[in-house]
Coordinates of all heavy atoms in Angstrom, one line a residue:
I1543 N 20.8 74.2 58.9 CA 22.0 74.9 58.3 C 22.9 75.4 59.4 O 24.2 75.3 59.3 CB 21.5 76.1 57.5 CG1 20.7 75.5 56.2 CG2 22.6 77.0 57.0 CD1 20.0 76.6 55.4
T1544 N 22.4 75.9 60.5 CA 23.2 76.4 61.6 C 24.1 75.3 62.2 O 25.3 75.4 62.5 CB 22.3 77.0 62.7 OG1 21.6 78.1 62.1 CG2 23.2 77.6 63.8
L1545 N 23.4 74.1 62.4 CA 24.2 72.9 62.9 C 25.3 72.5 62.0 O 26.4 72.2 62.4 CB 23.2 71.8 63.2 CG 22.2 72.0 64.4 CD1 21.3 70.8 64.5 CD2 22.9 72.2 65.7
V1546 N 25.0 72.5 60.7 CA 26.0 72.1 59.7 C 27.2 73.0 59.8 O 28.4 72.6 59.8 CB 25.4 72.0 58.3 CG1 26.5 71.8 57.3 CG2 24.4 70.8 58.2
I1547 N 26.9 74.3 59.8 CA 28.0 75.3 59.9 C 28.8 75.2 61.2 O 30.1 75.2 61.1 CB 27.4 76.8 59.8 CG1 26.8 77.0 58.4 CG2 28.5 77.8 60.0 CD1 26.0 78.3 58.3
L1548 N 28.1 75.0 62.3 CA 28.9 74.8 63.6 C 29.7 73.6 63.6 O 30.8 73.5 64.1 CB 27.9 74.8 64.7 CG 27.2 76.1 65.1 CD1 26.1 75.9 66.2 CD2 28.2 77.2 65.5
H1549 N 29.1 72.5 63.0 CA 29.9 71.2 62.9 C 31.1 71.4 62.1 O 32.2 70.8 62.4 CB 29.0 70.1 62.3 CG 29.5 68.8 62.5 ND1 30.4 68.2 61.6 CD2 29.3 67.8 63.4 CE1 30.7 67.0 62.0 NE2 30.1 66.7 63.1
K1550 N 31.0 72.1 61.0 CA 32.2 72.3 60.2 C 33.2 73.2 60.8 O 34.5 73.1 60.7 CB 31.8 72.8 58.8 CG 31.1 71.8 57.9 CD 30.9 72.4 56.5 CE 30.2 71.3 55.7 NZ 30.0 71.8 54.3
V1551 N 32.7 74.2 61.5 CA 33.6 75.2 62.2 C 34.4 74.5 63.4 O 35.6 74.7 63.5 CB 32.9 76.4 62.7 CG1 33.7 77.3 63.5 CG2 32.4 77.2 61.4
Y1552 N 33.7 73.8 64.2 CA 34.3 73.3 65.4 C 34.8 71.8 65.2 O 35.7 71.4 65.9 CB 33.3 73.3 66.6 CG 32.9 74.7 67.0 CD1 31.8 75.3 66.6 CD2 33.8 75.4 67.9 CE1 31.5 76.6 67.1 CE2 33.5 76.7 68.3 CZ 32.3 77.3 67.9 OH 32.0 78.5 68.3
S1553 N 34.2 71.1 64.3 CA 34.7 69.7 64.0 C 34.9 68.9 65.3 O 36.0 68.6 65.7 CB 36.0 69.8 63.2 OG 35.8 70.4 62.0
P1554 N 33.8 68.6 66.0 CA 34.0 67.8 67.3 C 34.6 66.5 67.1 O 34.3 65.7 66.1 CB 32.5 67.7 67.7 CG 31.7 67.8 66.5 CD 32.4 68.8 65.6
K1555 N 35.5 66.2 68.0 CA 36.3 64.9 67.9 C 35.9 64.1 69.1 O 35.5 64.6 70.2 CB 37.8 65.1 67.9 CG 38.2 66.0 66.7 CD 39.7 66.2 66.8 CE 40.2 67.0 65.7 NZ 39.7 68.4 65.7
G1556 N 36.1 62.8 69.0 CA 35.8 61.8 70.1 C 36.9 61.9 71.2 O 38.0 62.4 70.9
A1557 N 36.5 61.4 72.4 CA 37.5 61.5 73.5 C 38.7 60.5 73.2 O 38.6 59.5 72.5 CB 36.8 61.1 74.8
I1558 N 39.8 60.9 73.8 CA 41.0 60.1 73.8 C 41.2 59.4 75.1 O 41.2 60.0 76.2 CB 42.2 61.0 73.5 CG1 42.1 61.7 72.1 CG2 43.5 60.1 73.5 CD1 43.2 62.7 71.8
L1559 N 41.3 58.1 75.1 CA 41.4 57.3 76.3 C 42.6 56.4 76.2 O 42.9 55.9 75.2 CB 40.1 56.4 76.6 CG 38.8 57.1 76.8 CD1 38.0 57.4 75.5 CD2 37.9 56.3 77.8
F1560 N 43.2 56.2 77.4 CA 44.3 55.1 77.5 C 44.3 54.6 78.9 O 43.9 55.3 79.9 CB 45.6 55.6 77.0 CG 46.2 56.7 77.8 CD1 47.0 56.5 78.9 CD2 45.9 58.1 77.4 CE1 47.6 57.5 79.6 CE2 46.5 59.1 78.1 CZ 47.3 58.8 79.2
I1561 N 44.9 53.4 79.1 CA 44.9 52.8 80.4 C 46.1 53.3 81.2 O 47.3 53.2 80.7 CB 45.0 51.2 80.2 CG1 43.8 50.8 79.4 CG2 45.0 50.5 81.6 CD1 43.9 49.3 79.0
A1562 N 45.8 53.8 82.4 CA 46.9 54.3 83.3 C 47.3 53.2 84.3 O 48.5 53.1 84.7 CB 46.4 55.5 84.1
D1563 N 46.4 52.3 84.7 CA 46.7 51.3 85.7 C 45.7 50.2 85.7 O 44.5 50.4 85.3 CB 46.7 52.0 87.1 CG 47.2 51.0 88.2 OD1 48.1 50.1 87.9 OD2 46.7 51.1 89.3
V1564 N 46.1 49.0 86.0 CA 45.2 47.8 86.1 C 45.5 47.1 87.4 O 46.6 46.9 87.8 CB 45.5 46.8 85.0 CG1 44.5 45.6 85.1 CG2 45.3 47.5 83.6
H1565 N 44.4 46.8 88.1 CA 44.5 46.1 89.4 C 43.5 44.9 89.4 O 42.3 45.2 89.1 CB 44.3 47.0 90.6 CG 44.5 46.3 91.9 ND1 45.7 45.8 92.4 CD2 43.6 46.1 92.9 CE1 45.6 45.3 93.6 NE2 44.3 45.4 93.9
V1566 N 43.9 43.7 89.7 CA 43.0 42.5 89.7 C 42.9 42.0 91.1 O 43.9 41.8 91.8 CB 43.6 41.4 88.8 CG1 42.6 40.3 88.8 CG2 43.8 42.0 87.4
K1567 N 41.6 41.8 91.5 CA 41.3 41.2 92.8 C 40.9 39.8 92.5 O 39.8 39.5 91.9 CB 40.2 41.9 93.6 CG 40.7 43.3 94.1 CD 39.6 44.0 94.9 CE 40.1 45.3 95.4 NZ 39.1 46.0 96.2
N1568 N 41.7 38.8 93.0 CA 41.5 37.4 92.8 C 40.5 36.9 93.8 O 40.8 36.6 94.9 CB 42.8 36.6 92.8 CG 42.6 35.2 92.3 OD1 41.5 34.8 91.9 ND2 43.7 34.4 92.4
Q1569 N 39.2 36.8 93.4 CA 38.2 36.2 94.2 C 37.5 35.1 93.5 O 37.9 34.6 92.4 CB 37.2 37.4 94.6 CG 37.9 38.5 95.3 CD 36.9 39.7 95.5 OE1 35.8 39.7 94.9 NE2 37.3 40.7 96.3
S1570 N 36.3 34.6 94.1 CA 35.6 33.6 93.4 C 35.1 34.1 92.0 O 35.1 33.4 91.0 CB 34.4 33.2 94.2 OG 33.5 34.3 94.5
R1571 N 34.8 35.4 92.0 CA 34.5 36.1 90.7 C 35.5 37.3 90.6 O 35.3 38.3 91.3 CB 33.1 36.6 90.6 CG 32.0 35.5 90.7 CD 30.6 36.0 90.6 NE 30.4 36.7 89.3 CZ 29.3 37.3 89.1 NH1 28.3 37.3 90.0 NH2 29.1 38.0 87.9
P1572 N 36.5 37.1 89.8 CA 37.6 38.2 89.8 C 37.0 39.6 89.4 O 36.0 39.7 88.7 CB 38.5 37.7 88.6 CG 38.2 36.2 88.5 CD 36.8 36.1 88.9
R1573 N 37.6 40.6 90.0 CA 37.3 41.9 89.7 C 38.5 42.6 89.1 O 39.6 42.6 89.7 CB 36.8 42.7 91.0 CG 35.5 42.1 91.6 CD 35.2 42.9 92.8 NE 35.0 44.3 92.6 CZ 34.8 45.2 93.5 NH1 34.8 44.9 94.8 NH2 34.6 46.5 93.2
Y1574 N 38.2 43.3 88.0 CA 39.3 44.0 87.3 C 39.0 45.5 87.4 O 38.0 46.0 87.0 CB 39.3 43.6 85.9 CG 39.4 42.1 85.6 CD1 38.3 41.3 85.6 CD2 40.6 41.5 85.5 CE1 38.3 40.0 85.4 CE2 40.7 40.1 85.2 CZ 39.6 39.4 85.2 OH 39.6 38.0 85.0
E1575 N 40.0 46.2 88.1 CA 39.8 47.7 88.3 C 40.8 48.4 87.3 O 42.0 48.2 87.4 CB 40.1 48.0 89.7 CG 39.0 47.4 90.7 CD 39.3 47.8 92.1 OE1 40.4 48.4 92.4 OE2 38.5 47.5 93.0
F1576 N 40.2 49.2 86.5 CA 41.0 50.0 85.5 C 41.0 51.5 85.9 O 39.9 52.0 86.2 CB 40.5 49.8 84.1 CG 40.7 48.5 83.5 CD1 39.9 47.4 83.8 CD2 41.8 48.2 82.7 CE1 40.1 46.2 83.2 CE2 42.0 47.0 82.1 CZ 41.2 46.0 82.4
T1577 N 42.1 52.1 85.8 CA 42.2 53.6 85.9 C 42.5 54.1 84.5 O 43.5 53.8 83.9 CB 43.3 54.0 86.8 OG1 43.1 53.5 88.1 CG2 43.4 55.5 86.9
M1578 N 41.5 54.8 83.9 CA 41.5 55.3 82.6 C 41.8 56.8 82.6 O 41.2 57.5 83.4 CB 40.2 55.0 81.8 CG 39.8 53.5 81.8 SD 40.9 52.5 80.8 CE 40.7 53.3 79.2
K1579 N 42.6 57.2 81.7 CA 42.8 58.7 81.5 C 42.0 59.1 80.3 O 42.2 58.6 79.2 CB 44.3 59.0 81.3 CG 44.6 60.5 81.4 CD 46.1 60.8 81.4 CE 46.3 62.3 81.6 NZ 47.8 62.6 81.7
V1580 N 41.1 60.0 80.6 CA 40.2 60.5 79.5 C 40.5 61.9 79.2 O 40.5 62.8 80.1 CB 38.7 60.3 80.0 CG1 37.8 60.7 78.8 CG2 38.4 58.9 80.4
K1581 N 40.7 62.2 77.9 CA 41.0 63.6 77.5 C 40.0 64.1 76.5 O 39.7 63.3 75.5 CB 42.4 63.7 76.9 CG 42.8 65.1 76.5 CD 44.2 65.2 76.0 CE 44.5 66.6 75.5 NZ 45.9 66.7 75.0
N1582 N 39.5 65.3 76.6 CA 38.6 65.9 75.6 C 39.5 66.7 74.7 O 40.0 67.8 75.0 CB 37.6 66.8 76.3 CG 36.7 67.5 75.3 OD1 36.7 67.2 74.1 ND2 35.8 68.4 75.8
P1583 N 39.6 66.3 73.4 CA 40.5 67.0 72.5 C 39.9 68.3 71.9 O 40.6 69.0 71.2 CB 40.7 65.9 71.4 CG 39.5 65.1 71.4 CD 39.0 65.1 72.8
N1584 N 38.7 68.5 72.1 CA 38.0 69.7 71.6 C 38.2 70.9 72.5 O 37.9 70.8 73.7 CB 36.5 69.5 71.4 CG 36.2 68.2 70.6 OD1 36.4 68.2 69.4 ND2 35.8 67.2 71.2
E1585 N 38.7 72.0 72.0 CA 39.0 73.2 72.8 C 37.8 73.9 73.2 O 37.7 74.5 74.3 CB 40.0 74.1 72.1 CG 41.4 73.5 71.9 CD 42.1 73.2 73.2 OE1 41.8 74.0 74.2 OE2 42.9 72.3 73.2
N1586 N 36.8 74.0 72.3 CA 35.6 74.8 72.5 C 34.3 74.0 72.7 O 33.3 74.6 72.8 CB 35.4 75.8 71.4 CG 36.6 76.8 71.2 OD1 37.1 77.3 72.2 ND2 37.1 76.9 70.0
V1587 N 34.4 72.7 72.7 CA 33.3 71.9 72.8 C 33.4 71.0 74.0 O 34.4 70.3 74.2 CB 33.1 71.0 71.6 CG1 31.9 70.1 71.7 CG2 33.0 71.8 70.3

Side-chain angles (χ1 to χ4, degrees):
I1543 293 174
T1544 303
L1545 291 178
V1546 170
I1547 293 174
L1548 291 175
H1549 192 276
K1550 289 186 177 181
V1551 170
Y1552 292 100
S1553 299
K1555 302 178 180 64
I1558 299 175
L1559 294 91
F1560 63 91
I1561 301 171
D1563 185 36
V1564 180
H1565 182 67
V1566 181
K1567 291 184 177 181
N1568 189 4
Q1569 302 172 349
S1570 59
R1571 296 180 62 183
R1573 293 181 60 187
Y1574 306 86
E1575 295 181 354
F1576 288 85
T1577 300
M1578 305 291 300
K1579 189 170 184 178
V1580 185
K1581 181 180 180 180
N1582 179 6
N1584 306 287
E1585 293 296 331
N1586 300 312
V1587 179

